Amino acid sequence: MGYHITPYITEEELRVRIKELAAQISEDYKGKEVLMISILKGAVVFLTDLMRAVSDDVSVSIDFMVVSSYGDGTASSGKIKITKDLSVDVTGKNVLIVEDILDSGNTLSKIVDILQSRGVNSLKIVSLLDKPARHVHAVPVEYTGFVIPDKFVVGYGLDYGEKHRNLPYVGIVEFTED
Ligand code: IMP
Ligand code: MG
């Protein structure tokens, strides 16, 4: 099956919205420390733009985690395994999870459980995209960039078979018969 990519959220729209999210985050964490945790790989493009838009009145540090789904096949019902853990201790920290997209919520809900169990001081989530039609697990997301329909999207970090992460915009993948 072939496919093509139709632009959906432009570079300019991303820039404007990320600035708004960062302004809100800058206000909420003013004078505090925040550890931004990005789940590789999809959220890395968003993290790098978001962190640079946050005011220096916030003391920002970053770290990364890699998780993979395993167990019974589908990502939405499977368990997750930490493939690469954080390099810092999160005990007592204000953690902001930076995600690319909230789909079923499986991954995020499990990461929230893991981080809570490590005794964080506070835990919030910022997700660039949200697909409400797909939610299976309730995940409290404080900051959402764009609510999108139930379509498969790529670009700005998001992939289809590891490709198209480099697109500077978000596009919808449209599958064709040929
Ligand atoms: P969840 O555990 O079902 O919420 O899956 C979330 C992860 O699936 C995201 O972090 C993405 O890596 C991936 N994902 C979900 N929807 C899309 C999409 O439309 N395009 C690309 N990746 C997606
Ligand atoms: Mg991801």
Side-chain angles (χ1 to χ4, degrees):
M1 216 169 29
Y3 65 94
H4 60 260
I5 298 165
T6 306
Y8 182 65
I9 306 171
T10 66
E11 282 186 76
E12 176 64 8
E13 287 166 338
L14 287 165
R15 204 182 59 74
V16 168
R17 186 68 187 121
I18 288 166
K19 228 177 142 181
E20 290 171 355
L21 291 172
Q24 189 64 57
I25 290 166
S26 299
E27 183 157 325
D28 294 352
Y29 289 93
K30 191 172 184 170
K32 296 184 184 162
E33 292 182 10
V34 64
L35 172 64
M36 294 188 174
I37 295 177
S38 170
I39 318 300
L40 297 177
K41 307 170 193 172
V44 77
V45 176
F46 177 41
L47 172 75
T48 59
D49 280 347
L50 182 71
M51 65 186 282
R52 283 178 292 175
V54 170
S55 157
D56 207 34
D57 295 338
V58 184
S59 175
V60 175
S61 56
I62 61 170
D63 204 356
F64 301 91
M65 241 176 144
V66 181
V67 298
S68 52
S69 304
Y70 74 108
D72 44 13
T74 72
S76 56
S77 59
K79 297 174 178 170
I80 67 160
K81 189 177 142 198
I82 301 174
T83 315
K84 182 219 166 283
D85 207 339
L86 299 169
S87 61
V88 298
D89 182 3
V90 294
T91 312
K93 299 253 170 79
N94 298 316
V95 170
L96 179 62
I97 300 174
V98 180
E99 238 316 25
D100 49 1
I101 186 165
L102 177 61
D103 191 47
S104 72
N106 181 55
T107 312
L108 269 180
S109 68
K110 298 212 161 85
I111 288 171
V112 165
D113 289 347
I114 291 167
L115 294 177
Q116 293 286 16
S117 76
R118 292 180 183 180
V120 296
N121 181 56
S122 69
L123 183 59
K124 289 187 183 180
I125 300 171
V126 53
S127 184
L128 180 68
L129 306 173
D130 183 13
K131 273 190 214 177
R134 303 260 307 169
H135 292 184
V136 175
H137 302 265
V139 181
V141 175
E142 273 76 16
Y143 313 99
T144 298
F146 300 87
V147 174
I148 65 167
D150 186 9
K151 305 272 187 194
F152 197 81
V153 291
V154 292
Y156 200 74
L158 291 139
D159 72 304
Y160 176 46
E162 289 299 326
K163 292 200 282 189
H164 310 301
R165 294 190 194 275
N166 55 308
L167 289 176
Y169 56 87
V170 173
I172 291 179
V173 177
E174 318 234 35
F175 295 93
T176 53
E177 291 303 318
D178 50 300

